Amino acid sequence: MTSIAAVECEVRERAIRAELAFFKSKADTLTHPLRSVCQRMALVRTRVEAGLDDAAAQADLAARLHRLDVVAGVWTTFRERLVQRCDPWMKNSLHTADELAWACLAPFGEQVDRLPLCVVASTDSARAYRPGDTLLPPGVRTSPSTLSLLGAPVALIELRQTAVRVPHHLAAIAHEAGHLLAAGSELARLGEVLDGSPDFEARQAEEVFADLFALASLGSAFLVFLAQQRAVADVAGFGLTARYPSWDLRLGLLHAVLRHLLPEAAAAVGTLGLGAPVEAPA
């Protein structure tokens, strides 16, 4: 006799497959000027379908239920983000976000194995996921055998919710794009340089790299954006975690680099109350 748990598995699997089929049928609605974005969304569906097949192949019912829970969680995460592109207003904002992210990363295409898909985060924070990065919330653990199902199928840049309402908040995309490139010996070398500075720490290397990448991509526009974020943080009483330099150091370093690269632009933003440029670590 078929158990209730087995019937539940069948019902849940069919429900997810029906949703996958629905999004596949809406492919024309989800079209994007950047063809590869559509390919990224199709890859998400393929990944979830493979996870369902893997769950169905489990002989042990408990293992099948566990795998199904994992796949359902990943699908829910992406379904919420794919639905965003069904809304005409959000769709246009996300198209703009995609194009900005890809423009920042285009010169480094060979170093990015998969270009990102931009989505709006469920929380008011921005974050980048490389392909394979776990989608589990911090502190949640699972067995090694299921971790492969939890990796992001594509690179993601999650935007703050304000990004679709306040256009200049899209500048955060350049910083998050920098995180997708921050790896390897260059990042290790930057950590060594920062560790030798009295003001910075090695653990701040990735955030410093992302800031410098954003400055190189957007110029003074990113510095203006960051100064505005600092003002908001001061009013709201939000502090930075230890993996970031202080606001004064972040803005001072970027101001110093901008002054070196584009003196006129640095002079133009000097009235924002950034303070004196700090000396960049040698």
Side-chain angles (χ1 to χ4, degrees), residues 15 25 40 42 64 72 187 195-196 209 229:
S25 72
R40 300 290 176 263
R64 184 178 179 186
L187 186 62
D195 204 31
F209 179 92
Q229 295 306 295

Side-chain angles (χ1 to χ4, degrees), residues 127-153:
R127 183 176 177 182
Y129 293 88
R130 299 180 184 92
D133 282 356
T134 179
L135 297 172
L136 279 176
V140 177
R141 298 180 180 275
T142 188
S143 64
S145 63
T146 60
L147 278 177
S148 61
L149 294 174
L150 296 168

Side-chain angles (χ1 to χ4, degrees), residues 150-194:
L150 296 168
V154 298
L156 289 174
I157 291 181
E158 286 191 335
L159 309 175
R160 295 171 59 189
Q161 295 177 8
T162 55
V164 295
R165 303 192 303 271
V166 186
H168 74 263
H169 283 189
L170 291 174
I173 290 173
H175 175 92
E176 299 306 325
H179 280 293
L180 297 177
L181 285 173
S185 58
E186 293 82 1
L187 186 62
R189 171 59 183 154
L190 177 58
E192 293 174 359
V193 171
L194 294 179

